[in-house]
Amino acid sequence: MGEVRLSATSYVVLGMIALRGPSTPYELKRAVGHSVGYFWHFPHAQLYSEPDRLAGLGLLELTVEERGRRRKTYSLTDAGRAALQDWLASPTHEHFQMRDIAELKLFFNEAGSPENVTALARDQIKQHEERIAVYEQMVERFGSDPHAQPRMITLELGLEMEHAALRFWSALADGDLERLRAARRRLAEPR
């Protein structure tokens, strides 16, 4: 088959089908929206095109309904399962990426209008508080479900990141970034 290039979206599709079992693109879109979509954003149209590409590579098997809507359902092949397992077992050397529009606006606004920065900070506080509430509801709903436990670790990371962002934007809105700097210095001290 030669050198096969798989993207992060490829692995999202393979991983979702490995978790869910045979799936249509619509089912993948819904499953992603209720799981990795909280922290991994990409155009959902890719969930309609990527399965066909992966089927062409032999990583998914495609079945099409003979009647009715002729829905396409994709299943993981042994080669697809092996590709997913290889990816999961390989180290990740990419640096953490944060593509945050608010951070971009902050960068370009810093020398400009302090009112814009304060308004941005207040809006971000609200958004992060809302996301924390959603994540905490998920912890309450799924925290004791043994089937959900492997993915609860990802939810904990999401909560930590949301709380860190909330601390930053709150300190910025209060004009007290020194509070964050002091907290980082305390964490860096040897114990």
Side-chain angles (χ1 to χ4, degrees):
M1 181 165 46
E3 177 75 24
V4 175
R5 290 229 181 256
L6 299 180
S7 66
T9 302
S10 304
Y11 292 113
V12 167
V13 170
L14 293 173
M16 272 300 151
I17 293 174
L19 286 174
R20 297 186 82 266
S23 303
T24 66
Y26 177 75
E27 291 167 335
L28 289 173
K29 183 182 133 204
R30 285 185 49 110
V32 165
H34 295 286
S35 60
V36 298
Y38 285 105
F39 61 87
W40 188 262
H41 303 280
F42 59 94
H44 284 173
Q46 292 176 355
L47 294 174
Y48 288 88
S49 59
E50 188 63 12
D52 279 333
R53 186 176 89 82
L54 295 173
L57 294 171
L59 302 176
L60 294 178
E61 181 181 328
L62 168 64
T63 57
V64 181
E65 286 179 338
E66 291 184 24
R67 299 173 198 241
R69 294 175 35 202
R70 300 187 50 82
R71 278 188 298 222
K72 295 179 176 183
T73 302
Y74 298 89
S75 305
L76 204 57
T77 64
D78 289 342
R81 189 173 313 285
L84 178 62
Q85 291 304 316
D86 288 347
W87 178 71
L88 291 171
S90 67
T92 300
H93 299 290
E94 291 85 13
H95 180 72
F96 170 79
Q97 293 182 25
M98 182 170 62
R99 291 176 45 119
D100 182 9
I101 298 295
E103 187 177 3
L104 196 58
K105 286 183 174 187
L106 179 62
F107 178 83
F108 289 112
N109 241 324
E110 269 188 296
S113 165
E115 298 83 24
N116 284 352
V117 171
T118 301
L120 178 65
R122 298 231 180 271
D123 180 63
Q124 289 302 299
I125 290 167
K126 181 177 181 252
Q127 287 186 46
H128 289 289
E129 287 173 340
E130 289 171 356
R131 182 54 61 103
I132 288 167
V134 167
Y135 285 177
E136 286 176 346
Q137 288 171 359
M138 292 170 78
V139 168
E140 286 178 27
R141 196 171 13 165
F142 302 114
S144 60
D145 180 354
H147 300 297
Q149 289 306 310
R151 281 161 291 290
M152 293 302 290
I153 295 169
T154 307
L155 185 55
E156 292 296 334
L157 177 59
L159 272 166
E160 285 298 317
M161 293 173 72
E162 290 296 329
H163 280 285
L166 179 59
R167 282 190 301 274
F168 170 80
W169 290 108
S170 296
L172 183 63
D174 295 342
D176 192 9
L177 287 178
E178 184 52 40
R179 179 177 71 212
L180 288 178
R181 294 178 187 121
R184 279 196 307 271
R185 285 192 296 270
R186 280 193 303 276
L187 286 174
E189 291 175 358
R191 296 177 189 237

